[in-house]
Amino acid sequence: MEPTAATILSSLTNPSITDSDRDLISRAFDRAKELHQGQKRKSGQPYFFHVYETALTLARWGMDGTTVAAGLLHDTLEDTKYSEKELTKEFGKEIAFLVSGVTKIGRIKYRGNQAQAETLKKMVLALSEDIRVVFVKLADRMHNMRTLSYLPLDKQRRIATETAEIYAPLAYRLGLGTVSGELEDMAFPFLHPEEHRSLKKLLQAVLPHGETYINRVKEKITEELAQQKISVIQIDSRVKRISSLYKKLKRHEMEIQKIHDLIALRIIVEKVEDCYAVLGLIHSLWPPLPGLIKDYIALPKPNGYRSLHTTVICLDNKPTEFQVRTAVMHHENEYGIAAHWAYHEAKGGEKKETIFADAHRLSWINQLKQWQHEINDPDEFISSLKIDFFKDRIFVITPKGEAVDLPAGATAVDFAYAIHSDIGDHCLGAKVNGRMVQLDQELQSGDAVEIITQKNKRPNEAWLNFVKTRHAKARIRSVLRSHEVLPQKTLTFVITALDRVGLVKDISSIFSTQKINLISLESSPPAHGSLVTIKAVVSNEVQNKADALALRLRSIPTVQRVNYRHN
Ligand code: MN
């Protein structure tokens, strides 16, 4: 089909598009077409087709007029004689900024090993300055991936690696769940050709049975929903993406038979209340598998994803996953930007400012900015990016109910440092879901974490062995360096007690009323019955008080035994 400006204009989904936006897009269309005249892609298609597809994608994602126009012009600086000066004069500073940002990012050639530190850092800087640069780049990459097979093999590999390791995670973090998945799926066959072939075969063998089964479940649930008079917009099923199936199989060393969400049923309803009603109905029909009920409505994923998930023992005793969400959530999960972003005119000025409708959803951007100030070494910054930013994430909850975004494997100490450096520095103990835990225990998504701090407490060198975030590591090192603490002689109290609410508080208050600072306070989970062992470490300076302290500790209700030793 011949590209036309009218096709782009009719694909715009952003509700706040104005007539001048339309005019801008039409002008950009004409100029880009003229500038790329005669150029061809490796696929043999006219070059203009590529920028046209990029703009169409941006229009469908709900981007503003400026960004769609920038999509049309995104390759003019790199691939035509058009200069930045001419671009600025004809289309204004904003578009020139976006296009030159995309051009700069395009020059970074990520190969997955050597850190192209400075350049990648610039990309992140551009990202936090005007994130629309990244949207244009993502739309550009979508089309490039679709035509990747026309490129020479070594280029295919490099671009696929970059897509899987940089752009797909970025898209995910921006709330473009579907885009992220599509990018990963498109990169997968280039990166793992053999696994791709065998997984495809495996899926083809399993899926036909899956579909008849899913249809039976669909019938049953439709009938029940009608009986309960819950109105449903749509019930469909989604097949797990091949790239995400691969990751899951690898992560858990599983057989395909053990994967319960190969096909999931997706129920789309009108109102949020209906989501919970449907979940209740599902659970009344089939027993849920413990630990697999996920309420991403009350607690959205860090990228804004909202839905209810549950896996139940369904027909034929088969574990089956259900996803329940409203139509609005469904749209946001797929192409969340328009919904997450609001564009408004800054008062009194011409400058168009981009703000988040819900800023804390993307608070990681601010985190990045903060890290840039704290970490000066570019190499270290890049490795912190790889560890903290691109890897799998978990989210845990503060006592105030705020979600904190951490890398998988993070511990309470990482959490403490993510909240505030001060809290990390003075972290004494931690409670997870109301129970005291060891500071090195790995946190799980959804954990409610509370940090117990104490004034004169300092970071412990041993923390360096288990903290996961670079931020925590860097901070602990710098505090240790600044104090050059000599190994301290300590006194450890080992308290055995029946676990109960308030036990830990009673123990720590014995020390605080004596004005004794605890170096650490850790409890091991009940080994037999509900007996817990709590270790309280204090400085050896108080050794003359050891017996008196042991006696006081012994007098705490439910405490059965108190021992102490000098270290
Ligand atoms: Mn391009």
Side-chain angles (χ1 to χ4, degrees):
M1 208 175 66
E2 184 71 13
T4 62
T7 314
I8 298 178
L9 294 177
S10 64
S11 305
L12 292 163
T13 56
N14 186 318
S16 53
I17 293 280
T18 63
D19 282 348
S20 76
D21 284 326
R22 293 171 174 277
D23 177 55
L24 179 72
I25 292 167
S26 303
R27 282 197 297 123
F29 181 95
D30 293 338
R31 177 60 73 229
K33 193 171 179 184
E34 181 211 307
L35 288 166
H36 289 294
Q37 190 67 271
Q39 294 178 340
K40 284 238 172 359
R41 299 266 290 175
K42 285 268 162 34
S43 61
Q45 273 181 338
Y47 199 98
F48 179 68
F49 209 80
H50 163 68
V51 298
Y52 167 75
E53 285 290 330
T54 304
L56 259 186
T57 302
L58 289 164
R60 291 189 188 118
W61 286 353
M63 299 310 295
D64 63 336
T66 310
T67 311
V68 176
L72 282 161
L73 296 162
H74 84 267
D75 276 330
T76 55
L77 293 182
E78 185 77 359
D79 296 325
T80 76
K81 278 182 283 181
Y82 208 41
S83 71
E84 195 168 342
K85 212 172 146 193
E86 289 169 293
L87 175 64
T88 313
K89 203 173 158 215
E90 195 175 353
F91 291 98
K93 271 189 189 158
E94 221 180 323
I95 288 192
F97 178 84
L98 295 179
V99 173
S100 79
V102 174
T103 308
K104 279 180 207 149
I105 295 178
R107 292 189 185 131
I108 304 170
K109 302 282 181 272
Y110 179 80
R111 282 184 176 80
N113 41 21
Q114 80 261 42
Q116 294 91 352
E118 275 308 320
T119 30
L120 204 53
K121 191 171 174 182
K122 273 186 202 130
M123 164 181 144
V124 176
L125 273 175
L127 176 158
S128 46
E129 210 170 317
D130 192 333
I131 206 146
R132 292 176 300 174
V133 170
V134 180
F135 292 137
V136 178
K137 188 64 204 171
L138 286 172
D140 167 57
R141 182 50 58 102
M142 287 288 279
H143 186 253
N144 284 339
M145 286 306 289
R146 267 185 236 131
T147 51
L148 193 60
S149 55
Y150 296 100
L151 295 187
L153 276 176
D154 58 326
K155 271 198 167 177
Q156 287 180 1
R157 240 198 120 70
R158 185 189 68 69
I159 293 173
T161 305
E162 190 177 75
T163 301
E165 294 184 14
I166 305 278
Y167 291 109
L170 252 182
Y172 180 79
R173 303 281 274 149
L174 290 169
L176 290 157
T178 304
V179 174
S180 169
E182 278 173 16
L183 286 172
E184 282 195 334
D185 262 12
M186 287 192 281
F188 188 68
F190 294 97
L191 298 175
H192 308 280
E194 268 169 42
E195 289 87 340
H196 180 250
R197 267 191 297 274
S198 62
L199 273 184
K200 243 179 116 175
K201 254 194 204 156
L202 207 56
L203 271 178
Q204 273 162 2
V206 178
L207 284 182
H209 318 285
E211 266 176 55
T212 30
Y213 170 76
I214 280 292
N215 284 334
R216 279 171 56 215
V217 179
K218 222 188 246 179
E219 233 167 75
K220 173 77 181 160
I221 192 88
T222 308
E223 194 185 299
E224 293 285 336
L225 285 163
Q227 239 173 48
Q228 301 294 320
K229 304 212 164 46
I230 303 175
S231 66
V232 168
I233 296 176
Q234 173 187 334
I235 303 181
D236 54 32
S237 53
R238 72 107 185 89
V239 177
K240 197 169 185 65
R241 287 186 181 284
I242 214 160
S243 51
S244 97
L245 173 63
Y246 173 70
K247 274 196 231 163
K248 195 165 191 176
L249 284 166
K250 230 175 87 175
R251 204 167 51 224
H252 301 292
E253 292 166 20
M254 277 192 298
E255 301 152 51
I256 198 158
Q257 285 77 15
K258 290 189 188 153
I259 293 193
H260 304 320
D261 62 347
L262 260 190
I263 309 179
L265 268 141
R266 202 173 261 167
I267 303 176
I268 316 247
V269 294
E270 266 167 45
K271 291 176 300 206
V272 178
E273 306 90 87
D274 294 342
C275 294
Y276 291 97
V278 172
L279 187 74
L281 177 70
I282 294 168
H283 289 165
S284 73
L285 292 170
W286 302 294
L289 285 174
L292 293 178
I293 305 170
K294 304 266 165 65
D295 186 348
Y296 297 122
I297 294 177
L299 215 60
K301 286 191 186 182
N303 71 346
Y305 178 88
R306 289 187 299 162
S307 186
L308 297 175
H309 290 190
T310 186
T311 302
V312 298
I313 307 289
C314 200
L315 299 180
D316 308 341
N317 286 326
K318 258 194 185 162
T320 304
E321 181 175 292
F322 286 85
Q323 304 176 348
V324 190
R325 55 182 76 159
T326 65
V328 173
M329 290 173 198
H330 187 56
H331 180 79
E332 283 187 15
N333 293 346
E334 304 236 314
Y335 306 109
I337 318 157
H340 292 180
W341 290 72
Y343 298 93
H344 76 139
E345 303 285 335
K347 271 181 201 148
E350 301 184 329
K351 196 175 169 270
K352 210 176 194 185
E353 233 182 339
T354 315
I355 55 149
F356 293 112
D358 191 354
H360 80 260
R361 277 193 178 172
L362 291 171
S363 58
W364 54 273
I365 290 178
N366 290 324
Q367 253 180 42
L368 275 180
K369 281 185 178 170
Q370 200 194 324
W371 291 346
Q372 296 200 61
H373 290 301
E374 290 182 7
I375 305 173
N376 291 318
D377 177 17
D379 281 335
E380 192 178 351
F381 180 74
I382 294 308
S383 50
S384 73
L385 266 186
K386 281 198 206 140
I387 290 172
D388 295 332
F389 183 64
F390 292 128
K391 278 267 171 65
D392 288 351
R393 310 292 298 184
I394 58 162
F395 63 98
V396 296
I397 315 147
T398 67
K400 283 184 197 153
E402 289 150 341
V404 174
D405 180 7
L406 292 168
T411 62
V413 175
D414 292 297
F415 170 85
Y417 276 105
I419 304 266
H420 198 281
S421 300
D422 255 1
I423 296 187
D425 290 346
H426 299 113
C427 173
L428 174 70
K431 276 188 187 170
V432 170
N433 305 323
R435 302 187 72 106
M436 285 294 292
V437 299
Q438 309 275 8
L439 285 176
D440 64 355
Q441 183 179 310
E442 284 190 9
L443 300 174
Q444 305 295 321
S445 249
D447 279 350
V449 187
E450 191 183 335
I451 297 295
I452 298 156
T453 57
Q454 188 177 279
K455 242 188 170 174
N456 299 316
K457 183 80 182 67
R458 273 196 218 129
N460 186 329
E461 202 174 347
W463 292 357
L464 290 170
N465 299 329
F466 59 76
V467 293
K468 286 287 179 304
T469 48
R470 279 280 170 153
H471 170 59
K473 243 176 216 164
R475 177 75 194 185
I476 294 165
R477 280 210 189 96
S478 90
V479 175
L480 287 176
R481 236 175 293 150
S482 70
H483 288 280
E484 285 299 338
V485 219
L486 291 167
Q488 207 178 2
K489 295 248 176 192
T490 56
L491 182 63
T492 305
F493 289 92
V494 182
I495 304 143
T496 311
L498 270 172
D499 201 14
R500 64 171 170 86
V501 177
L503 175 65
V504 172
K505 200 176 143 221
D506 289 348
I507 291 173
S508 55
S509 75
I510 295 274
F511 293 99
S512 62
T513 51
Q514 298 290 307
K515 306 251 184 319
I516 294 168
N517 289 325
L518 280 164
I519 294 167
S520 75
L521 184 66
E522 288 180 355
S523 85
S524 350
H528 354 264
S530 50
L531 277 186
V532 285
T533 306
I534 296 170
K535 279 187 196 161
V537 183
V538 297
S539 157
N540 208 4
E541 285 155 37
V542 300
Q543 60 167 303
N544 51 348
K545 289 190 190 163
D547 284 327
L549 280 167
L551 263 178
R552 282 176 187 271
L553 290 167
R554 182 65 188 82
S555 70
I556 294 173
T558 78
V559 168
Q560 300 193 341
R561 206 164 48 239
V562 179
N563 295 316
Y564 65 84
R565 58 168 190 263
H566 300 280
N567 298 100

